[in-house]
Amino acid sequence: MKIALPDQPFRFVTENSAECDAETAFVLTGLNRRYLDDAKARGAHSIISPADVAPLFGLDRINVIGITGTNGKTTTASAIYSILLDLGHKAAMQGTRGFFMNDTVVEGKSLTTPTLLETYRHIYQAVAAGCEYFVMEVSSHAIVQARAEGIDFALKILTNITQDHLDYHETLEEYVRVKNSFFADEGKKLINKDEAKADFNIKNAFTYGAENPATYKVVAYSLNDGISAVVQHFGKIHTFHSPMHGFFNVYNLTAAVAAVHLVTGDDLEAVCDAVGGFAGVSGRMEVVSESPLVIVDFAHTPDGMAQVLNALKEKEMLVVFGAGGDRDRSKRPLMGRVAENLAKKVFVTSDNPRSEDPDAIIADILGGMTYPEKAVVEPNRKAAIAMALSARSGDEVVVVLGKGDEQYQIIYDKQFPFDDREVIRSLLSEV
Ligand SMILES: CC(=O)N[C@H]1[C@@H](OP(=O)(O)OP(=O)(O)OC[C@H]2O[C@@H](n3ccc(=O)[nH]c3=O)[C@H](O)[C@@H]2O)O[C@H](CO)[C@@H](O)[C@@H]1O[C@H](C)C(=O)N[C@@H](C)C(=O)N[C@H](CCC(=O)O)C(=O)O
Ligand SMILES: Nc1ncnc2c1ncn2[C@@H]1O[C@H](COP(=O)(O)OP(=O)(O)OP(=O)(O)O)[C@@H](O)[C@H]1O
Ligand SMILES: N[C@H](CCC[C@H](N)C(=O)O)C(=O)O
Ligand SMILES: [Mg+2]
């Protein structure tokens, strides 16, 4: 993508050598270095670095908050964005669900962290719209591929490190190393102190947590009727309330409170008061039907599934889930085991099979179960959801995991309209 920039010796910048010409400068990144000769051969106006172009996009005129971690990035980013807007700040947010500015959707879903120049372009738009803050999710792929190069973060946040994406990073050790490498510099950072795998530069480090001593420490909480949490900060006590559910959201919300407090310097009491206005993210712990109780959640990792199912463990659960194709194979048996251990009945189905055989993905999931014969196997996701809904009785809850607010099912390279929430609503209306 060529981006026009006014008042420069060149007219455009690009990160793709194929787009280079006499009026287009090539921004040399960690990812496109191998195309440098191609850019020169095509007569690129000049070769420039991300640091050279960052000020041209206004990166030095906005506070960028970057969030990484296996789970909770979108939720924490959305909570920060919501609290900032509630407190009267102008803010933008970029992540798995798209690009948002001052409460409007500017662009829909793309990558969790887009390419370097796409992020720069979003920041440029945010600066032009008068935003003081730009909240962005930083995936592990983005860290390896330096998609956030040249950004001087006002704050970096670590939610947690469990297992995902080993198809890309190959070993858990490497994945953990990549996540932690984001926190090796001396910049301001906010770390989940209860994450034992966190390893960070202690300079300018702030922490949050519920179990270990932390700068923002949850000293008491209640999960009855939403979340209430008491946070201790330098000896003072502050309380927030939220309509959200699940202990894991105590972490996401505490991180958001601490982050907003750290970047704005606003009164912590006012920050806590603004938490209640955040209702949560579409497709995460979303109650699709109250009676019967049916919940949709985006859990697509072993830990995500454990967190969600533990949050609902007062109830007997019928759990419908699969695992994405062309993604970490080694998480599949672990997901099978989590479901088997926590659910009353498990329905194993397809998620986004992509180029893989759905039966083979299901076999990987069943491979982690002690009693695979007890699971219901139905590769057709709609049929599996229907089976769970008709098998449900009494107070049991149906929990449909993995796709959250996704609106498509990806089979090979085609996207077929599929929204778990709509499927559930239509099945319930047929009864
Ligand atoms: C595995 C992976 O992450 N691949 C990403 C990677 O692809 P690649 O290395 O094959 O790219 P490439 O075509 O060689 O291009 C690399 C660079 O060289 C440049 N180029 C390319 C060709 C050329 O002739 N000249 C040239 O200069 C390109 O403009 C680009 O800047 O770089 C591309 C450009 O930045 C990404 O679009 C692509 O993401 C693919 C589409 C993808 O599906 N990525 C997923 C797995 C991903 O990134 N997911 C994460 C995590 C999700 C989460 O857990 O939330 C995400 O952030 O979304
Ligand atoms: N703090 C947390 N710890 C563990 N699991 C969590 C946490 N927050 C959310 N989850 C689980 O992970 C799922 C995804 O949450 P969210 O979208 O916020 O994460 P994410 O890190 O942005 O994921 P992705 O990398 O896929 O974009 C939720 O639906 C929930 O099941
Ligand atoms: N950001 C995650 C989302 C996974 C969602 C799940 N439905 C799947 O397709 O595996 C990924 O791309 O790995
Ligand atoms: Mg996300």
Side-chain angles (χ1 to χ4, degrees), residues 52-313:
D52 293 331
V53 281
L56 311 182
F57 283 87
L59 265 72
D60 50 350
R61 286 188 276 140
I62 194 161
N63 298 291
V64 185
I65 302 164
I67 304 168
T68 199
T70 309
N71 290 305
K73 298 182 293 297
T74 299
T75 308
T76 305
S78 304
I80 293 172
Y81 177 64
S82 164
I83 296 170
L84 284 171
L85 293 178
D86 225 56
L87 291 171
H89 298 286
K90 287 192 165 182
M93 173 176 69
Q94 169 189 280
T96 315
R97 302 186 65 246
F99 175 48
F100 304 74
M101 247 176 6
N102 297 328
D103 241 353
T104 55
V105 187
V106 184
E107 280 171 29
K109 281 171 191 270
S110 65
L111 290 173
T112 287
T113 314
T115 70
L116 182 108
L117 283 190
E118 280 172 52
T119 297
Y120 278 25
R121 186 173 56 85
H122 288 161
I123 293 177
Y124 187 71
Q125 285 175 264
V127 171
C131 295
E132 301 160 77
Y133 301 98
F134 186 89
V135 189
M136 65 181 278
E137 291 180 53
V138 182
S139 65
S140 56
H141 295 76
I143 299 173
V144 171
Q145 296 167 21
R147 291 184 207 158
E149 199 178 341
I151 300 175
D152 185 13
F153 287 93
L155 183 69
K156 292 178 173 181
I157 305 172
L158 177 72
T159 59
N160 46 65
I161 312 178
T162 58
Q163 179 179 331
D164 202 4
H165 302 309
L166 297 195
D167 53 320
Y168 185 70
H169 303 285
E170 295 188 350
T171 65
L172 188 60
E173 291 69 32
E174 175 58 10
Y175 175 66
V176 172
R177 188 198 65 74
V178 166
K179 285 285 187 199
N180 282 327
S181 70
F182 192 53
F183 302 96
D185 63 56
E186 296 192 345
K188 207 186 249 191
K189 52 193 84 71
L190 175 66
I191 307 287
N192 177 351
K193 198 63 186 305
D194 298 340
E195 177 48 73
K197 293 191 212 67
D199 184 15
F200 52 94
N201 186 325
I202 55 167
K203 187 93 188 278
N204 287 315
F206 298 82
T207 55
Y208 67 100
E211 286 159 13
N212 293 287
T215 330
Y216 298 85
K217 166 90 200 263
V218 177
V219 288
Y221 63 88
S222 148
L223 301 175
N224 298 326
D225 198 18
I227 291 170
S228 294
V230 181
V231 179
Q232 186 170 17
H233 177 65
F234 289 120
K236 283 201 176 156
I237 293 288
H238 307 268
T239 304
F240 67 75
H241 303 282
S242 161
M244 294 171 72
H245 296 280
F247 182 51
F248 61 94
N249 277 319
V250 172
Y251 280 90
N252 295 335
L253 293 170
T254 306
V257 162
V260 173
H261 184 238
L262 285 168
V263 295
T264 62
D266 286 353
D267 178 39
L268 190 49
E269 202 61 31
V271 177
C272 285
D273 285 348
V275 171
F278 176 59
V281 184
S282 173
R284 277 97 179 141
M285 283 294 237
E286 184 173 332
V287 177
V288 182
S289 157
E290 294 272 4
S291 175
L293 185 56
V294 184
I295 291 175
V296 161
D297 185 82
F298 191 45
H300 51 267
T301 67
D303 185 54
M305 287 178 65
Q307 298 294 334
V308 167
L309 298 181
N310 271 314
L312 298 167
K313 69 172 182 244

